[in-house]
Amino acid sequence: MIERKTLLADFALLGVTVIWGGTFVTVKHLLASTPPLAILLWRFLVAFGVLLVFSRPRTFRVLFAGTLLGGALFLGYLFQTLGLLYVTPARSAFITGFCTLIVPIFALVILRTRPEKTLPVSIALALFGLFLLTSGNGEETSLSVGDFLTFLGAVAYALQIVLVERFAKGNDAFALATVEMGAVALFSALSGVLSGEEHMLPQGLFAWGSIVFLGVVATGIAFTVQKVAQRYTSATHAGIVFVAEPVFAALFSYLLFGERLTGRGIIGCSLILLGILTTQLRLSPGVPSPRLLAQTQDPQDREGR
């Protein structure tokens, strides 16, 4: 029988997944009035302020590692946000899910961690699903610029996840995350200046409300809840819960954005989910996936095992 704390932790992670699923529609609507770099700047500046309450980064080691992580995370969010200019929220979410399949490749190169033998099958299922998703949805009948940008975002997310695995040991997790959020805000501001992007201030109540939701709830609070919840549940549980993120994104996109998937698109999404889920189900109960190990465990927990 599942312990009460484990059950509560799983529900907490499900809540986080619902929030993250809703961010795709939020950002899509926000892009109508706010430039991509402005969204990133203010979202992560708010998140930086929230996390600064819990930590005070002091060492050069944390500053260096957090800045590298922030660079990778900045590229992930930048490409994903630019991709949302061209593709629908649900489509973006399912393509972003590819990061789970790319993580083992980076882990092999950077961490020398051997991938699961089923990884080629998982990738093949997901790629075929992507082909179906991007070849039969109304006007979007082929791979677009938005799909490519979103996929680049997934690659950057995968790199960030593995880099967290590389740098988390021996560093305070909250301090590392605080520097990372601040670095993303800094890179966004510098990119805005270099690109000549104007109107870096969000315009209107809706834009500011969206920024506060993204920064406080979907970034600062969500990552904190995720970290606490992972103390009481297994990585396998969490991995299966997180697979639902694109499903919730599709639901919110249907309810709030009016997105409709064709039968071909639904089959494609299902195959992408199956490919991602396969990588989670192949894990033994005591071995967390690279993605979850990187994102959710405290350095103290890792050193004690």
Side-chain angles (χ1 to χ4, degrees):
M1 188 171 182
I2 300 177
E3 292 184 5
R4 184 170 179 271
K5 287 185 178 180
T6 300
L7 188 61
L8 290 175
D10 287 342
F11 273 113
L13 292 175
L14 183 62
V16 168
T17 305
V18 172
I19 291 170
W20 284 341
T23 61
F24 290 89
V25 175
T26 303
V27 173
K28 182 70 174 179
H29 283 304
L30 190 55
L31 283 167
S33 62
T34 309
L37 289 172
I39 295 174
L40 295 183
L41 168 62
W42 292 102
R43 172 179 183 170
F44 282 92
L45 196 59
V46 170
F48 174 70
V50 171
L51 289 177
L52 201 59
V53 174
F54 301 95
S55 67
R56 294 292 188 275
R58 292 184 177 89
T59 67
F60 174 79
R61 182 179 180 181
V62 168
L63 291 174
F64 175 76
T67 301
L68 287 181
L69 293 173
L73 190 62
F74 166 70
L75 291 176
Y77 271 99
L78 176 64
F79 285 128
Q80 183 189 69
T81 304
L82 290 173
L84 275 167
L85 288 169
Y86 306 99
V87 300
T88 59
R91 185 158 167 161
S92 174
F94 280 101
I95 296 174
T96 300
F98 266 86
C99 74
T100 302
L101 303 179
I102 302 170
V103 162
I105 299 174
F106 279 122
L108 175 63
V109 175
I110 298 173
L111 305 176
R112 299 293 189 266
T113 302
R114 296 181 63 181
E116 289 283 347
K117 294 180 180 179
T118 57
L119 181 62
V121 176
S122 299
I123 293 177
L125 284 171
L127 285 176
F128 185 57
L130 180 63
F131 167 75
L132 294 177
L133 177 64
T134 57
S135 63
N137 284 319
E139 296 180 358
E140 297 180 270
T141 56
S142 61
L143 281 170
S144 67
V145 172
D147 295 321
F148 179 68
L149 289 171
T150 306
F151 183 76
L152 288 179
V155 173
Y157 284 141
L159 175 61
Q160 183 265 352
I161 288 164
V162 175
L163 287 178
V164 172
E165 168 90 5
R166 170 67 177 79
F167 292 118
K169 188 174 183 179
N171 290 312
D172 178 79
F174 278 108
L176 200 60
T178 301
V179 176
E180 184 179 18
M181 298 298 108
V184 176
L186 178 61
F187 290 138
S188 301
L190 292 176
S191 299
V193 172
L194 293 175
S195 65
E197 187 172 282
E198 299 178 354
H199 308 300
M200 290 296 284
L201 274 175
Q203 304 295 312
L205 186 61
F206 170 79
W208 277 111
S210 298
I211 290 293
V212 171
F213 165 74
L214 292 171
V216 176
V217 179
T219 307
I221 293 177
F223 276 106
T224 302
V225 170
Q226 179 191 25
K227 182 173 291 296
V228 173
Q230 267 298 114
R231 293 177 181 272
Y232 303 104
T233 189
S234 70
T236 305
H237 273 203
I240 294 172
V241 171
F242 289 150
V243 170
E245 181 182 339
V247 177
F248 285 119
L251 177 61
F252 281 117
S253 188
Y254 172 79
L255 295 174
L256 304 177
F257 190 71
E259 180 176 1
R260 303 290 189 275
L261 289 174
T262 64
R264 186 186 183 99
I266 292 173
I267 294 174
C269 291
S270 300
L271 287 175
I272 292 173
L273 282 177
L274 181 60
I276 297 171
L277 188 60
T278 300
T279 63
Q280 296 294 337
L281 294 179
R282 283 291 301 169
L283 297 170
S284 61
V287 181
S289 70
R291 175 185 182 185
L292 294 166
L293 187 61
Q295 289 189 347
T296 61
Q297 285 194 301
D298 284 334
Q300 295 85 351
D301 294 339
R302 290 160 49 78
E303 291 173 347
R305 291 184 180 180

